Amino acid sequence: MRKVWLIILALLILVTFGCQRQEAALINIQTEQTPSPTGDFEAASAEPSWTLELELPVITGEDFTYDALGVPILNEEEHYFSYYLEFSALRVYEYGNSTFLDGRCFNSFITDLEGRARICFYGEDGRLYGYGEILTAEESLTLPAGIDTPIYAEIFSEIPVVELDYVIEIVTPFMPAEGV
């Protein structure tokens, strides 16, 4: 019991004498005095007499080509695919001894786009384990403008690829359809 009282007494002493109020004050120490303005005010506000001479190289090169909507074509191989095609509701499933892809592709360009694409399945090691050509019901990949078109593919693989990551790759670049 005596130890408890000694501990309490020690804590009271620490609290009483250990906590002290501290005050801080900001002291502004200037090492140099700023000179007060003197002289002619109009002369001080006059335009500077120096001129900036900067030599810029002449930029030469080819002009951008633009699509029908005015978007610059930076990469002809992937332009229409990247800007105007949107793949959605993609579902990879096994049926019987085969693997299939079902989904939709929306073409937001003003005319039909045609090209070829395939779905490729890669493992964690970066190795290709399966692929399939993406087609529409007409067994091509002509995508009508402004329409959400059903797509499908039969996946060729010797192992199950349903759980693997996939990428949609361009086989033939998408371009506006001829005769539209």
Side-chain angles (χ1 to χ4, degrees):
M1 181 75 170
R2 190 171 190 195
K3 289 182 183 181
V4 173
W5 283 107
L6 285 175
I7 293 173
I8 292 174
L9 182 61
L11 285 174
L12 284 174
I13 292 172
L14 281 174
V15 169
T16 304
F17 296 108
C19 297
Q20 296 181 7
R21 182 178 173 162
Q22 297 180 1
E23 293 184 20
L26 179 62
I27 300 172
N28 188 7
I29 301 174
Q30 290 185 347
T31 57
E32 295 180 18
Q33 288 287 345
T34 305
S36 59
T38 59
D40 188 14
F41 179 72
E42 289 179 14
S45 64
E47 293 289 323
S49 62
W50 56 271
T51 58
L52 177 64
E53 293 184 23
L54 182 64
E55 291 184 28
L56 295 175
V58 177
I59 299 174
T60 59
E62 298 177 15
D63 290 338
F64 287 116
T65 56
Y66 298 90
D67 65 20
L69 295 176
V71 176
I73 298 174
L74 303 176
N75 182 343
E76 292 181 14
E77 299 287 318
E78 298 179 0
H79 176 74
Y80 293 97
F81 179 81
S82 299
Y83 280 93
Y84 299 111
L85 298 183
E86 179 182 334
F87 292 87
S88 62
L90 298 178
R91 182 176 69 116
V92 178
Y93 61 95
E94 293 178 350
Y95 182 76
N97 292 332
S98 299
T99 306
F100 298 97
L101 162 85
D102 286 336
R104 306 192 73 70
C105 185
F106 181 73
N107 173 11
S108 61
F109 194 60
I110 57 173
T111 62
D112 296 355
L113 293 176
E114 62 184 1
R116 289 180 54 214
R118 67 180 181 178
I119 185 166
C120 297
F121 293 86
Y122 292 97
E124 290 180 6
D125 56 359
R127 188 171 161 200
L128 178 67
Y129 285 101
Y131 68 94
E133 186 172 356
I134 298 174
L135 302 169
T136 62
E138 290 79 29
E139 294 190 6
S140 68
L141 198 50
T142 301
L143 302 164
I147 295 179
D148 200 18
T149 308
I151 58 172
Y152 75 93
E154 182 177 359
I155 311 299
F156 300 104
S157 175
E158 294 183 8
I159 66 166
V161 295
V162 175
E163 299 295 323
L164 294 178
D165 292 334
Y166 61 85
V167 176
I168 297 176
E169 297 178 348
I170 301 169
V171 176
T172 304
F174 284 86
M175 296 290 178
E178 297 290 325
V180 178

PDB file of all heavy atoms in Angstrom, residues 9 61 125 138-139 152:
ATOM      1  N   LEU A   9       2.183  10.070  -5.132  1.00  0.00           N
ATOM      2  CA  LEU A   9       2.888  11.289  -4.749  1.00  0.00           C
ATOM      3  C   LEU A   9       3.891  11.708  -5.826  1.00  0.00           C
ATOM      4  O   LEU A   9       3.995  12.887  -6.165  1.00  0.00           O
ATOM      5  CB  LEU A   9       3.620  11.062  -3.408  1.00  0.00           C
ATOM      6  CG  LEU A   9       4.364  12.279  -2.853  1.00  0.00           C
ATOM      7  CD1 LEU A   9       3.396  13.420  -2.578  1.00  0.00           C
ATOM      8  CD2 LEU A   9       5.113  11.900  -1.601  1.00  0.00           C
ATOM      9  N   GLY A  61       7.301  20.254 -90.992  1.00  0.00           N
ATOM     10  CA  GLY A  61       6.785  18.890 -90.911  1.00  0.00           C
ATOM     11  C   GLY A  61       5.506  18.772 -91.709  1.00  0.00           C
ATOM     12  O   GLY A  61       5.063  19.711 -92.376  1.00  0.00           O
ATOM     13  N   ASP A 125       2.880 -15.194 -67.774  1.00  0.00           N
ATOM     14  CA  ASP A 125       4.221 -15.191 -68.354  1.00  0.00           C
ATOM     15  C   ASP A 125       4.280 -14.429 -69.681  1.00  0.00           C
ATOM     16  O   ASP A 125       5.334 -14.343 -70.302  1.00  0.00           O
ATOM     17  CB  ASP A 125       4.704 -16.627 -68.556  1.00  0.00           C
ATOM     18  CG  ASP A 125       3.757 -17.452 -69.418  1.00  0.00           C
ATOM     19  OD1 ASP A 125       2.707 -16.938 -69.845  1.00  0.00           O
ATOM     20  OD2 ASP A 125       4.069 -18.634 -69.664  1.00  0.00           O
ATOM     21  N   GLU A 138     -22.857 -11.450 -89.907  1.00  0.00           N
ATOM     22  CA  GLU A 138     -22.572 -11.581 -91.336  1.00  0.00           C
ATOM     23  C   GLU A 138     -21.212 -12.217 -91.589  1.00  0.00           C
ATOM     24  O   GLU A 138     -20.733 -12.233 -92.726  1.00  0.00           O
ATOM     25  CB  GLU A 138     -22.630 -10.204 -92.025  1.00  0.00           C
ATOM     26  CG  GLU A 138     -24.025  -9.616 -92.127  1.00  0.00           C
ATOM     27  CD  GLU A 138     -24.484  -8.976 -90.816  1.00  0.00           C
ATOM     28  OE1 GLU A 138     -23.631  -8.496 -90.043  1.00  0.00           O
ATOM     29  OE2 GLU A 138     -25.687  -8.980 -90.561  1.00  0.00           O
ATOM     30  N   GLU A 139     -20.556 -12.697 -90.554  1.00  0.00           N
ATOM     31  CA  GLU A 139     -19.238 -13.328 -90.609  1.00  0.00           C
ATOM     32  C   GLU A 139     -18.168 -12.405 -91.186  1.00  0.00           C
ATOM     33  O   GLU A 139     -17.295 -12.824 -91.927  1.00  0.00           O
ATOM     34  CB  GLU A 139     -19.309 -14.655 -91.354  1.00  0.00           C
ATOM     35  CG  GLU A 139     -20.140 -15.683 -90.622  1.00  0.00           C
ATOM     36  CD  GLU A 139     -20.030 -17.072 -91.224  1.00  0.00           C
ATOM     37  OE1 GLU A 139     -19.215 -17.283 -92.141  1.00  0.00           O
ATOM     38  OE2 GLU A 139     -20.760 -17.948 -90.757  1.00  0.00           O
ATOM     39  N   TYR A 152     -19.191 -12.062 -81.951  1.00  0.00           N
ATOM     40  CA  TYR A 152     -18.873 -13.377 -81.383  1.00  0.00           C
ATOM     41  C   TYR A 152     -17.502 -13.815 -81.882  1.00  0.00           C
ATOM     42  O   TYR A 152     -16.957 -13.252 -82.826  1.00  0.00           O
ATOM     43  CB  TYR A 152     -19.939 -14.414 -81.742  1.00  0.00           C
ATOM     44  CG  TYR A 152     -19.859 -14.890 -83.161  1.00  0.00           C
ATOM     45  CD1 TYR A 152     -19.130 -16.037 -83.492  1.00  0.00           C
ATOM     46  CD2 TYR A 152     -20.495 -14.194 -84.196  1.00  0.00           C
ATOM     47  CE1 TYR A 152     -19.042 -16.466 -84.811  1.00  0.00           C
ATOM     48  CE2 TYR A 152     -20.409 -14.627 -85.497  1.00  0.00           C
ATOM     49  CZ  TYR A 152     -19.683 -15.763 -85.802  1.00  0.00           C
ATOM     50  OH  TYR A 152     -19.595 -16.181 -87.096  1.00  0.00           O
TER      51      TYR A 152
END
